Amino acid sequence: MAPYAALAEKERRLISERTRAALAAKKTQGVRLGNRTNLSDARAKGVTANRATASAFASNVIPVIREVQVGGTASFQGIANALNAHGMRAPRGGAWHATSVRNIINREGSTL
């Protein structure tokens, strides 16, 4: 076992040396190293993308929710049960719950 451990340790050291040498070479070439992303801009873009995805999902599900409501189901839990019975997945891929139905309806600015 010991020879393998020594070999692995040597390989880690060689990888570290090669990485340091490559980074030093890039730095001397004037390449800026590290994370150059503006975190607040990246976060804002992520929020915008998430909202767009959620709105698209909601606009696809609202017609189905309306059909369930026309069928006589008025409660959030009843609608969730109907969506689960039809095999529809909730926004994150799981089962529907009363709160997820409420959130979709509120996102669309609709009321029951």
Side-chain angles (χ1 to χ4, degrees):
M1 219 35 148
Y4 293 117
L7 182 62
E9 186 177 326
K10 181 179 179 181
E11 183 61 27
R12 280 192 298 272
R13 187 173 27 80
L14 292 172
I15 290 170
S16 177
E17 289 171 5
R18 287 193 302 264
T19 301
R20 283 190 186 129
L23 290 173
K26 287 291 185 184
K27 194 170 184 178
T28 60
Q29 293 172 0
V31 175
R32 183 175 172 200
L33 302 175
N35 187 356
R36 293 180 278 165
T37 304
N38 184 340
L39 189 57
S40 61
D41 288 344
R43 184 177 294 127
K45 287 178 184 177
V47 167
T48 301
N50 287 341
R51 284 185 180 151
T53 301
S55 292
F57 183 87
S59 63
N60 288 332
V61 174
I62 281 291
V64 179
I65 290 175
R66 293 296 175 225
E67 285 181 30
V68 172
Q69 288 175 322
V70 168
T73 305
S75 71
F76 293 139
Q77 187 59 54
I79 295 169
N81 293 340
L83 293 172
N84 288 327
H86 284 46
M88 292 189 70
R89 294 285 176 208
R92 293 191 178 185
W96 285 93
H97 301 281
T99 54
S100 47
V101 172
R102 184 198 66 210
N103 292 342
I104 292 288
I105 290 172
N106 287 344
R107 173 174 283 286
E108 291 298 306
S110 306
T111 59
L112 275 176

XYZ file of all heavy atoms in Angstrom:
829
model
N 0.803 -1.185 0.000
C 0.000 0.000 0.000
C 0.856 1.264 0.000
O 0.520 2.224 -0.643
C -0.877 -0.048 1.247
C -2.282 0.411 1.205
S -3.289 0.181 -0.187
C -4.813 0.011 0.616
N 1.909 1.257 0.730
C 2.766 2.432 0.867
C 3.344 2.908 -0.458
O 3.392 4.119 -0.689
C 3.868 2.166 1.874
N 3.778 2.008 -1.359
C 4.318 2.501 -2.628
C 3.288 3.277 -3.440
O 3.607 4.265 -4.092
C 4.758 1.242 -3.364
C 4.944 0.204 -2.320
C 3.982 0.563 -1.221
N 2.009 2.825 -3.385
C 0.966 3.528 -4.122
C 0.702 4.909 -3.526
O 0.477 5.873 -4.244
C -0.329 2.710 -4.142
C -0.208 1.435 -4.941
C -0.347 0.208 -4.332
C 0.061 1.476 -6.306
C -0.232 -0.967 -5.061
C 0.179 0.315 -7.044
C 0.029 -0.901 -6.416
O 0.148 -2.049 -7.140
N 0.733 5.000 -2.218
C 0.522 6.274 -1.548
C 1.647 7.242 -1.897
O 1.410 8.425 -2.162
C 0.432 6.075 -0.044
N 2.868 6.744 -1.917
C 4.000 7.605 -2.259
C 3.907 8.061 -3.708
O 4.189 9.222 -4.031
C 5.311 6.863 -2.013
N 3.482 7.158 -4.582
C 3.337 7.498 -5.999
C 2.234 8.544 -6.182
O 2.394 9.509 -6.929
C 3.024 6.236 -6.810
C 2.899 6.426 -8.306
C 4.211 6.918 -8.905
C 2.475 5.118 -8.962
N 1.121 8.369 -5.474
C 0.018 9.330 -5.568
C 0.443 10.700 -5.047
O 0.117 11.736 -5.628
C -1.185 8.814 -4.788
N 1.191 10.709 -3.962
C 1.675 11.970 -3.404
C 2.602 12.675 -4.385
O 2.520 13.889 -4.591
C 2.396 11.708 -2.090
C 2.804 12.970 -1.366
C 3.457 12.665 -0.022
O 3.052 11.685 0.619
O 4.368 13.416 0.351
N 3.487 11.908 -5.014
C 4.403 12.485 -6.001
C 3.622 13.056 -7.189
O 3.921 14.159 -7.671
C 5.404 11.431 -6.488
C 6.382 11.976 -7.495
C 7.367 10.918 -7.944
C 8.328 11.500 -8.975
N 9.271 10.511 -9.458
N 2.607 12.337 -7.651
C 1.807 12.803 -8.781
C 1.072 14.095 -8.425
O 1.005 15.023 -9.218
C 0.808 11.720 -9.212
C -0.020 12.103 -10.421
C 0.803 12.379 -11.676
O 1.908 11.831 -11.818
O 0.316 13.163 -12.516
N 0.517 14.185 -7.212
C -0.147 15.415 -6.772
C 0.824 16.585 -6.782
O 0.497 17.689 -7.211
C -0.735 15.230 -5.375
C -2.048 14.499 -5.345
C -2.712 14.608 -3.974
N -1.921 14.023 -2.911
C -1.960 12.758 -2.522
N -2.778 11.930 -3.123
N -1.204 12.325 -1.534
N 2.043 16.345 -6.309
C 3.060 17.406 -6.277
C 3.406 17.845 -7.694
O 3.521 19.039 -7.975
C 4.312 16.918 -5.532
C 5.340 18.011 -5.319
C 6.508 17.595 -4.434
N 6.869 16.187 -4.381
C 7.609 15.566 -5.327
N 8.050 16.221 -6.363
N 7.907 14.278 -5.214
N 3.556 16.890 -8.617
C 3.887 17.234 -10.008
C 2.760 18.022 -10.674
O 3.009 18.985 -11.406
C 4.204 15.962 -10.807
C 5.486 15.234 -10.420
C 5.586 13.900 -11.154
C 6.699 16.105 -10.705
N 1.531 17.613 -10.404
C 0.387 18.351 -10.952
C 0.373 19.773 -10.419
O 0.163 20.734 -11.171
C -0.935 17.627 -10.625
C -1.042 16.327 -11.428
C -2.138 18.523 -10.912
C -2.202 15.432 -10.999
N 0.630 19.926 -9.132
C 0.657 21.246 -8.514
C 1.737 22.121 -9.142
O 1.504 23.299 -9.450
C 0.893 21.112 -7.008
O 0.998 22.385 -6.416
N 2.910 21.541 -9.353
C 4.007 22.307 -9.962
C 3.662 22.720 -11.382
O 3.936 23.859 -11.793
C 5.289 21.477 -9.930
C 5.876 21.306 -8.541
C 7.026 20.302 -8.502
O 7.429 19.795 -9.579
O 7.515 20.020 -7.390
N 3.082 21.811 -12.166
C 2.706 22.142 -13.551
C 1.639 23.241 -13.577
O 1.700 24.156 -14.392
C 2.193 20.897 -14.280
C 3.277 19.908 -14.647
C 2.762 18.865 -15.627
N 1.614 18.121 -15.128
C 1.672 16.935 -14.521
N 2.848 16.355 -14.324
N 0.578 16.332 -14.123
N 0.693 23.157 -12.661
C -0.369 24.164 -12.602
C 0.201 25.529 -12.241
O -0.125 26.538 -12.882
C -1.437 23.758 -11.571
O -1.975 22.486 -11.943
C -2.560 24.775 -11.506
N 1.061 25.569 -11.239
C 1.681 26.840 -10.844
C 2.506 27.432 -11.983
O 2.459 28.642 -12.226
C 2.577 26.636 -9.622
C 1.800 26.510 -8.353
C 2.712 26.556 -7.148
N 1.933 26.298 -5.960
C 2.231 25.405 -5.044
N 3.336 24.700 -5.154
N 1.461 25.225 -4.008
N 3.248 26.585 -12.688
C 4.067 27.064 -13.808
C 3.188 27.616 -14.923
O 3.482 28.675 -15.499
C 4.957 25.943 -14.334
N 2.097 26.928 -15.220
C 1.196 27.390 -16.287
C 0.539 28.713 -15.908
O 0.425 29.629 -16.742
C 0.139 26.330 -16.578
N 0.094 28.842 -14.664
C -0.517 30.100 -14.220
C 0.501 31.241 -14.228
O 0.168 32.376 -14.607
C -1.116 29.932 -12.830
C -2.368 29.053 -12.751
C -2.766 28.830 -11.298
C -3.510 29.669 -13.527
N 1.713 30.967 -13.822
C 2.754 32.006 -13.837
C 3.034 32.450 -15.268
O 3.215 33.649 -15.538
C 4.025 31.482 -13.172
N 3.058 31.494 -16.208
C 3.300 31.837 -17.609
C 2.169 32.713 -18.150
O 2.414 33.703 -18.857
C 3.431 30.568 -18.453
N 0.938 32.374 -17.817
C -0.199 33.186 -18.273
C -0.138 34.589 -17.675
O -0.440 35.572 -18.342
C -1.525 32.512 -17.892
C -1.845 31.300 -18.710
C -2.169 31.696 -20.124
C -2.612 30.530 -20.944
N -2.831 30.896 -22.332
N 0.239 34.662 -16.423
C 0.319 35.952 -15.750
C 1.371 36.841 -16.401
O 1.158 38.047 -16.580
C 0.620 35.756 -14.267
C 0.386 36.982 -13.439
C 0.475 36.657 -11.957
C 0.141 37.877 -11.134
N 0.162 37.593 -9.708
N 2.515 36.263 -16.780
C 3.554 37.060 -17.442
C 3.119 37.498 -18.838
O 3.606 38.500 -19.346
C 4.882 36.278 -17.541
O 4.671 35.086 -18.282
C 5.452 35.981 -16.175
N 2.178 36.762 -19.428
C 1.639 37.153 -20.744
C 0.582 38.246 -20.616
O 0.079 38.738 -21.618
C 1.010 35.939 -21.434
C 2.002 34.868 -21.826
C 1.303 33.610 -22.331
O 0.083 33.534 -22.390
N 2.106 32.625 -22.694
N 0.239 38.599 -19.389
C -0.715 39.680 -19.180
C -2.153 39.218 -19.011
O -3.066 40.038 -18.976
N -2.374 37.929 -18.916
C -3.727 37.408 -18.724
C -4.145 37.672 -17.287
O -3.389 37.414 -16.356
C -3.777 35.895 -19.034
C -5.146 35.328 -18.709
C -3.421 35.626 -20.479
N -5.347 38.189 -17.127
C -5.863 38.451 -15.791
C -6.442 37.151 -15.244
O -7.355 36.574 -15.827
C -6.931 39.530 -15.851
C -7.470 39.902 -14.506
C -8.424 41.063 -14.609
N -9.077 41.270 -13.323
C -10.197 41.912 -13.173
N -10.802 42.426 -14.233
N -10.732 42.073 -11.992
N -5.922 36.705 -14.135
C -6.354 35.442 -13.540
C -7.418 35.692 -12.478
O -7.497 36.752 -11.893
C -5.152 34.737 -12.902
C -3.988 34.432 -13.842
C -2.831 33.840 -13.066
C -4.424 33.501 -14.955
N -8.254 34.690 -12.251
C -9.276 34.776 -11.213
C -10.641 35.037 -11.801
O -10.837 35.107 -13.021
N -11.598 35.195 -10.929
C -12.986 35.416 -11.312
C -13.192 36.885 -11.661
O -13.050 37.756 -10.819
C -13.901 35.007 -10.161
C -15.354 35.054 -10.541
O -15.704 35.457 -11.645
N -16.208 34.651 -9.626
N -13.527 37.130 -12.904
C -13.708 38.505 -13.356
C -15.177 38.896 -13.435
O -15.523 39.976 -13.877
C -13.075 38.680 -14.730
C -11.569 38.553 -14.683
C -10.990 38.730 -16.027
N -11.104 37.445 -16.710
C -10.964 37.266 -17.997
N -10.729 38.269 -18.772
N -11.062 36.078 -18.527
N -16.068 38.014 -13.022
C -17.494 38.273 -13.119
C -17.926 39.244 -12.034
O -17.566 39.091 -10.876
C -18.280 36.960 -12.956
O -17.820 36.037 -13.919
C -19.758 37.180 -13.141
N -18.719 40.198 -12.424
C -19.326 41.106 -11.463
C -20.494 40.356 -10.836
O -21.475 40.049 -11.505
C -19.794 42.375 -12.160
C -20.341 43.389 -11.192
O -20.718 43.063 -10.068
N -20.407 44.623 -11.631
N -20.386 40.038 -9.562
C -21.358 39.181 -8.902
C -22.768 39.752 -8.931
O -23.731 39.025 -9.167
C -20.919 38.911 -7.466
C -21.716 37.862 -6.715
C -21.695 36.536 -7.463
C -21.156 37.680 -5.324
N -22.925 41.037 -8.734
C -24.273 41.611 -8.726
C -24.906 41.545 -10.115
O -26.109 41.293 -10.239
C -24.258 43.047 -8.203
O -23.456 43.860 -9.038
N -24.109 41.745 -11.166
C -24.647 41.606 -12.524
C -25.036 40.166 -12.823
O -26.083 39.905 -13.412
C -23.618 42.074 -13.564
C -23.426 43.580 -13.570
O -24.283 44.295 -12.995
O -22.423 44.042 -14.146
N -24.199 39.233 -12.410
C -24.493 37.815 -12.633
C -25.756 37.406 -11.882
O -26.596 36.675 -12.413
C -23.316 36.958 -12.196
N -25.897 37.884 -10.666
C -27.091 37.571 -9.874
C -28.336 38.153 -10.531
O -29.368 37.485 -10.614
C -26.933 38.106 -8.456
C -28.085 37.733 -7.538
C -27.867 38.209 -6.105
N -26.742 37.512 -5.517
C -25.703 38.111 -4.942
N -25.649 39.421 -4.877
N -24.716 37.410 -4.424
N -28.252 39.382 -11.012
C -29.402 40.009 -11.662
C -29.810 39.248 -12.923
O -30.999 39.043 -13.178
C -29.082 41.466 -12.003
N -28.818 38.811 -13.688
C -29.126 38.023 -14.885
C -29.785 36.698 -14.511
O -30.711 36.242 -15.182
C -27.860 37.759 -15.690
C -27.343 38.980 -16.411
C -26.063 38.664 -17.154
C -25.489 39.918 -17.795
N -24.211 39.665 -18.460
N -29.312 36.080 -13.444
C -29.900 34.826 -12.983
C -31.338 34.997 -12.537
O -32.203 34.188 -12.866
N -31.608 36.069 -11.806
C -32.972 36.348 -11.346
C -33.886 36.573 -12.541
O -35.003 36.048 -12.598
C -32.989 37.557 -10.380
C -34.398 38.068 -10.149
C -32.322 37.191 -9.067
N -33.413 37.337 -13.517
C -34.212 37.608 -14.714
C -34.509 36.316 -15.465
O -35.649 36.080 -15.890
C -33.477 38.599 -15.636
O -33.254 39.804 -14.900
C -34.276 38.901 -16.873
N -33.517 35.476 -15.612
C -33.708 34.197 -16.314
C -34.675 33.300 -15.551
O -35.549 32.667 -16.162
C -32.367 33.506 -16.510
N -34.544 33.236 -14.228
C -35.453 32.406 -13.423
C -36.886 32.900 -13.518
O -37.820 32.097 -13.626
C -35.004 32.379 -11.960
C -33.774 31.543 -11.753
O -33.422 30.711 -12.582
N -33.111 31.748 -10.629
N -37.072 34.199 -13.480
C -38.430 34.753 -13.588
C -39.044 34.468 -14.946
O -40.234 34.161 -15.050
C -38.413 36.254 -13.321
C -38.271 36.583 -11.877
C -38.380 38.063 -11.599
N -38.222 38.302 -10.180
C -37.736 39.406 -9.669
N -37.356 40.389 -10.461
N -37.629 39.547 -8.367
N -38.236 34.575 -15.993
C -38.749 34.287 -17.337
C -39.153 32.821 -17.461
O -40.209 32.502 -18.023
C -37.691 34.635 -18.383
N -38.348 31.927 -16.909
C -38.662 30.502 -16.949
C -39.932 30.213 -16.151
O -40.802 29.464 -16.602
C -37.491 29.671 -16.387
O -36.336 29.944 -17.170
C -37.786 28.196 -16.416
N -40.056 30.820 -14.973
C -41.236 30.608 -14.137
C -42.489 31.151 -14.809
O -43.551 30.511 -14.761
C -41.039 31.269 -12.773
N -42.391 32.300 -15.463
C -43.548 32.863 -16.150
C -43.968 31.997 -17.327
O -45.166 31.792 -17.567
C -43.239 34.281 -16.634
O -43.105 35.139 -15.534
N -43.002 31.468 -18.052
C -43.321 30.582 -19.181
C -44.005 29.313 -18.680
O -44.991 28.854 -19.273
C -42.056 30.236 -19.957
N -43.490 28.753 -17.593
C -44.105 27.554 -17.025
C -45.531 27.849 -16.582
O -46.461 27.089 -16.878
C -43.273 27.037 -15.843
C -43.819 25.770 -15.253
C -43.442 24.544 -15.776
C -44.711 25.806 -14.193
C -43.954 23.367 -15.249
C -45.216 24.635 -13.663
C -44.842 23.412 -14.186
N -45.717 28.969 -15.888
C -47.047 29.338 -15.389
C -48.027 29.539 -16.531
O -49.176 29.077 -16.458
C -46.954 30.606 -14.541
N -47.600 30.178 -17.604
C -48.523 30.414 -18.715
C -48.908 29.115 -19.414
O -49.984 29.035 -20.012
C -47.930 31.417 -19.709
O -46.764 30.906 -20.285
N -48.083 28.075 -19.310
C -48.436 26.774 -19.870
C -49.376 25.991 -18.965
O -50.164 25.182 -19.447
C -47.181 25.937 -20.123
C -46.379 26.445 -21.292
O -46.910 27.034 -22.216
N -45.087 26.217 -21.251
N -49.302 26.222 -17.663
C -50.099 25.449 -16.708
C -51.451 26.103 -16.416
O -52.426 25.401 -16.143
C -49.297 25.250 -15.401
C -50.126 24.582 -14.328
C -48.067 24.422 -15.681
N -51.533 27.412 -16.498
C -52.774 28.119 -16.169
C -53.976 27.585 -16.952
O -55.038 27.388 -16.359
C -52.601 29.656 -16.366
C -51.863 30.233 -15.159
C -53.920 30.377 -16.562
C -52.659 30.215 -13.866
N -53.874 27.313 -18.261
C -55.052 26.774 -18.956
C -55.533 25.439 -18.365
O -56.747 25.197 -18.280
C -54.588 26.592 -20.400
C -53.443 27.539 -20.549
C -52.793 27.598 -19.205
N -54.617 24.613 -17.939
C -54.997 23.331 -17.327
C -55.676 23.574 -15.984
O -56.691 22.942 -15.660
C -53.754 22.423 -17.155
C -54.126 21.113 -16.496
C -53.078 22.184 -18.489
N -55.137 24.504 -15.220
C -55.754 24.847 -13.931
C -57.162 25.376 -14.158
O -58.097 25.022 -13.432
C -54.877 25.863 -13.164
C -53.593 25.182 -12.691
C -55.636 26.466 -11.988
C -52.592 26.111 -12.038
N -57.338 26.217 -15.170
C -58.668 26.763 -15.470
C -59.649 25.647 -15.852
O -60.814 25.678 -15.475
C -58.586 27.803 -16.592
C -57.834 29.048 -16.195
C -58.556 29.775 -15.085
N -57.765 30.914 -14.638
C -57.557 31.220 -13.371
N -58.085 30.501 -12.423
N -56.833 32.248 -13.041
N -59.175 24.644 -16.599
C -60.043 23.515 -16.950
C -60.479 22.755 -15.704
O -61.637 22.343 -15.594
C -59.314 22.556 -17.895
C -59.185 23.052 -19.308
C -58.486 22.046 -20.206
O -58.599 20.828 -19.939
O -57.840 22.483 -21.169
N -59.554 22.580 -14.775
C -59.882 21.890 -13.523
C -60.899 22.708 -12.745
O -61.864 22.160 -12.186
C -58.606 21.635 -12.686
C -58.941 21.103 -11.309
C -57.677 20.672 -13.424
N -60.736 24.022 -12.736
C -61.678 24.889 -12.028
C -63.059 24.836 -12.670
O -64.072 24.793 -11.974
C -61.169 26.330 -12.006
C -59.987 26.539 -11.086
C -59.424 27.942 -11.182
O -59.361 28.517 -12.261
N -58.996 28.474 -10.046
N -63.108 24.833 -13.995
C -64.393 24.753 -14.701
C -65.074 23.421 -14.380
O -66.290 23.338 -14.304
C -64.185 24.920 -16.230
C -65.436 24.553 -16.999
C -63.777 26.350 -16.541
N -64.267 22.393 -14.150
C -64.814 21.087 -13.790
C -65.384 21.030 -12.385
O -65.934 20.004 -11.980
N -65.251 22.093 -11.618
C -65.882 22.159 -10.308
C -64.926 22.129 -9.125
O -65.367 22.189 -7.983
N -63.643 22.035 -9.364
C -62.685 22.021 -8.263
C -62.242 23.443 -7.980
O -61.724 24.123 -8.865
C -61.459 21.158 -8.619
O -61.918 19.861 -8.986
C -60.507 21.054 -7.460
N -62.447 23.898 -6.740
C -62.152 25.294 -6.428
C -60.962 25.470 -5.488
O -60.307 26.508 -5.519
C -63.385 25.954 -5.802
N -60.664 24.464 -4.666
C -59.599 24.647 -3.677
C -58.229 24.422 -4.308
O -58.077 23.675 -5.277
C -59.791 23.678 -2.511
O -59.500 22.355 -2.924
N -57.226 25.056 -3.723
C -55.857 24.868 -4.204
C -55.444 23.399 -4.094
O -54.821 22.848 -4.992
C -54.871 25.733 -3.414
C -55.043 27.216 -3.618
C -54.943 28.080 -2.543
C -55.289 27.752 -4.875
C -55.076 29.447 -2.717
C -55.429 29.107 -5.055
C -55.333 29.959 -3.975
N -55.797 22.757 -2.971
C -55.426 21.356 -2.780
C -56.145 20.457 -3.779
O -55.564 19.523 -4.319
C -55.733 20.893 -1.349
C -55.207 19.496 -1.052
C -53.692 19.388 -1.230
O -52.942 20.156 -0.642
N -53.246 18.449 -2.039
N -57.400 20.756 -4.068
C -58.142 19.974 -5.056
C -57.522 20.083 -6.437
O -57.417 19.091 -7.175
N -57.100 21.291 -6.799
C -56.434 21.501 -8.095
C -55.108 20.754 -8.113
O -54.765 20.099 -9.101
C -56.235 23.007 -8.362
C -57.589 23.705 -8.516
C -55.370 23.222 -9.593
C -57.513 25.216 -8.508
N -54.352 20.823 -7.010
C -53.074 20.104 -6.926
C -53.295 18.606 -7.090
O -52.559 17.934 -7.824
C -52.400 20.401 -5.590
N -54.328 18.077 -6.445
C -54.633 16.651 -6.570
C -54.972 16.286 -8.009
O -54.554 15.239 -8.511
C -55.781 16.264 -5.633
C -55.402 16.368 -4.178
O -54.228 16.363 -3.821
N -56.401 16.470 -3.311
N -55.724 17.143 -8.683
C -56.089 16.877 -10.075
C -54.860 16.908 -10.983
O -54.711 16.055 -11.866
C -57.122 17.900 -10.550
N -53.973 17.881 -10.772
C -52.753 17.961 -11.575
C -51.870 16.729 -11.340
O -51.304 16.178 -12.293
C -51.975 19.243 -11.251
C -52.652 20.550 -11.653
C -51.882 21.740 -11.100
C -52.788 20.661 -13.155
N -51.765 16.302 -10.095
C -50.980 15.101 -9.783
C -51.612 13.865 -10.414
O -50.903 12.992 -10.922
C -50.846 14.912 -8.270
C -49.911 15.929 -7.653
O -48.943 16.359 -8.272
N -50.207 16.320 -6.424
N -52.947 13.783 -10.399
C -53.641 12.634 -10.986
C -53.419 12.566 -12.501
O -53.368 11.477 -13.070
C -55.131 12.712 -10.675
N -53.260 13.728 -13.126
C -53.018 13.772 -14.576
C -51.545 13.541 -14.913
O -51.171 13.534 -16.074
C -53.457 15.118 -15.145
C -54.937 15.258 -15.294
N -55.824 14.892 -14.319
C -55.694 15.713 -16.320
C -57.047 15.139 -14.733
N -57.005 15.638 -15.943
N -50.701 13.404 -13.884
C -49.280 13.137 -14.114
C -48.464 14.370 -14.463
O -47.332 14.256 -14.930
N -49.037 15.555 -14.232
C -48.286 16.784 -14.503
C -47.293 17.027 -13.370
O -47.612 16.827 -12.201
C -49.236 17.980 -14.622
C -50.116 17.916 -15.842
S -51.001 19.459 -16.071
C -49.666 20.527 -16.528
N -46.120 17.465 -13.727
C -45.084 17.761 -12.743
C -45.137 19.229 -12.355
O -45.414 20.103 -13.176
C -43.703 17.431 -13.307
C -43.498 15.970 -13.553
C -43.278 15.287 -12.233
N -43.165 13.857 -12.391
C -43.492 13.009 -11.450
N -43.960 13.445 -10.301
N -43.365 11.723 -11.650
N -44.827 19.477 -11.090
C -44.771 20.848 -10.571
C -43.533 21.553 -11.137
O -42.704 20.921 -11.794
C -44.727 20.805 -9.048
N -43.385 22.836 -10.899
C -42.271 23.591 -11.492
C -40.893 22.986 -11.279
O -40.045 23.046 -12.157
C -42.374 24.963 -10.815
C -43.802 25.108 -10.474
C -44.276 23.720 -10.143
N -40.654 22.373 -10.132
C -39.334 21.790 -9.875
C -39.302 20.289 -10.141
O -38.377 19.599 -9.745
C -38.899 22.081 -8.449
C -38.656 23.565 -8.267
C -37.987 23.839 -6.965
N -37.730 25.274 -6.860
C -37.081 25.829 -5.881
N -36.609 25.082 -4.911
N -36.899 27.122 -5.855
N -40.333 19.791 -10.803
C -40.333 18.396 -11.219
C -40.990 17.427 -10.255
O -41.079 16.246 -10.543
N -41.460 17.897 -9.128
C -42.071 17.011 -8.145
C -43.584 17.047 -8.211
O -44.180 17.397 -9.226
N -44.191 16.700 -7.099
C -45.648 16.689 -6.999
C -46.175 18.097 -6.729
O -45.463 18.955 -6.216
C -46.078 15.744 -5.878
N -47.430 18.295 -7.080
C -48.091 19.568 -6.829
C -48.595 19.605 -5.392
O -49.033 18.602 -4.845
C -49.272 19.757 -7.781
C -48.855 20.101 -9.162
C -48.636 19.241 -10.189
C -48.606 21.405 -9.669
N -48.256 19.933 -11.305
C -48.236 21.260 -11.029
C -48.658 22.680 -9.128
C -47.920 22.348 -11.829
C -48.351 23.759 -9.937
C -47.979 23.593 -11.258
N -48.566 20.792 -4.797
C -49.115 21.045 -3.472
C -49.993 22.283 -3.578
O -49.921 23.024 -4.571
C -48.002 21.282 -2.447
C -47.057 20.131 -2.341
N -47.361 19.002 -1.634
C -45.834 19.923 -2.868
C -46.370 18.147 -1.728
N -45.419 18.687 -2.473
N -50.792 22.497 -2.566
C -51.690 23.654 -2.576
C -50.910 24.959 -2.765
O -51.325 25.844 -3.528
C -52.503 23.693 -1.289
N -49.764 25.082 -2.102
C -48.993 26.323 -2.210
C -48.410 26.516 -3.608
O -48.324 27.652 -4.082
C -47.850 26.353 -1.183
O -47.058 25.182 -1.329
C -48.392 26.444 0.225
N -48.031 25.428 -4.277
C -47.480 25.595 -5.634
C -48.573 26.033 -6.601
O -48.330 26.846 -7.495
C -46.762 24.329 -6.111
O -47.506 23.175 -5.894
N -49.794 25.528 -6.402
C -50.919 25.976 -7.237
C -51.207 27.448 -6.954
O -51.377 28.254 -7.884
C -52.177 25.110 -6.983
C -53.397 25.694 -7.684
C -51.933 23.677 -7.425
N -51.242 27.816 -5.675
C -51.488 29.211 -5.301
C -50.441 30.138 -5.918
O -50.755 31.208 -6.448
C -51.475 29.359 -3.782
C -51.819 30.784 -3.328
C -51.399 31.049 -1.913
N -49.933 31.008 -1.861
C -49.232 30.630 -0.809
N -49.831 30.237 0.290
N -47.911 30.625 -0.841
N -49.178 29.725 -5.872
C -48.110 30.556 -6.425
C -48.261 30.750 -7.926
O -48.017 31.845 -8.444
C -46.747 29.950 -6.104
C -46.408 30.002 -4.632
O -47.009 30.775 -3.876
N -45.481 29.178 -4.207
N -48.640 29.700 -8.638
C -48.840 29.813 -10.092
C -49.982 30.777 -10.390
O -49.866 31.650 -11.252
C -49.126 28.423 -10.715
C -47.887 27.535 -10.646
C -49.620 28.566 -12.153
C -46.769 27.910 -11.581
N -51.083 30.625 -9.658
C -52.234 31.496 -9.893
C -51.886 32.943 -9.551
O -52.227 33.872 -10.293
C -53.456 30.994 -9.095
C -53.946 29.680 -9.711
C -54.562 32.037 -9.077
C -55.016 28.966 -8.931
N -51.191 33.153 -8.448
C -50.779 34.520 -8.064
C -49.798 35.111 -9.062
O -49.814 36.320 -9.321
C -50.167 34.529 -6.672
C -51.213 34.337 -5.593
O -52.405 34.488 -5.831
N -50.770 33.968 -4.407
N -48.931 34.295 -9.629
C -47.962 34.774 -10.624
C -48.686 35.348 -11.828
O -48.267 36.328 -12.423
C -47.040 33.641 -11.050
C -46.118 34.004 -12.197
C -45.148 32.911 -12.483
N -44.073 32.873 -11.506
C -43.079 33.755 -11.454
N -43.020 34.726 -12.315
N -42.130 33.663 -10.556
N -49.785 34.724 -12.189
C -50.545 35.178 -13.354
C -51.488 36.324 -13.022
O -52.195 36.805 -13.898
C -51.332 34.001 -13.945
C -50.456 32.971 -14.592
C -49.666 33.521 -15.762
O -50.268 34.106 -16.689
O -48.435 33.380 -15.748
N -51.546 36.725 -11.761
C -52.408 37.823 -11.384
C -53.868 37.420 -11.398
O -54.759 38.261 -11.506
N -54.122 36.126 -11.292
C -55.484 35.620 -11.333
C -55.971 35.328 -9.936
O -55.201 35.252 -8.994
C -55.525 34.330 -12.155
O -54.964 34.538 -13.428
N -57.254 35.142 -9.797
C -57.834 34.730 -8.534
C -58.735 33.545 -8.775
O -59.185 33.295 -9.887
C -58.652 35.870 -7.908
O -59.694 36.242 -8.820
C -57.796 37.061 -7.571
N -58.998 32.831 -7.687
C -59.922 31.694 -7.790
C -61.345 32.155 -7.811
O -61.745 33.072 -7.234
C -59.714 30.744 -6.604
C -58.610 29.732 -6.802
C -58.425 28.919 -5.527
C -58.934 28.804 -7.932
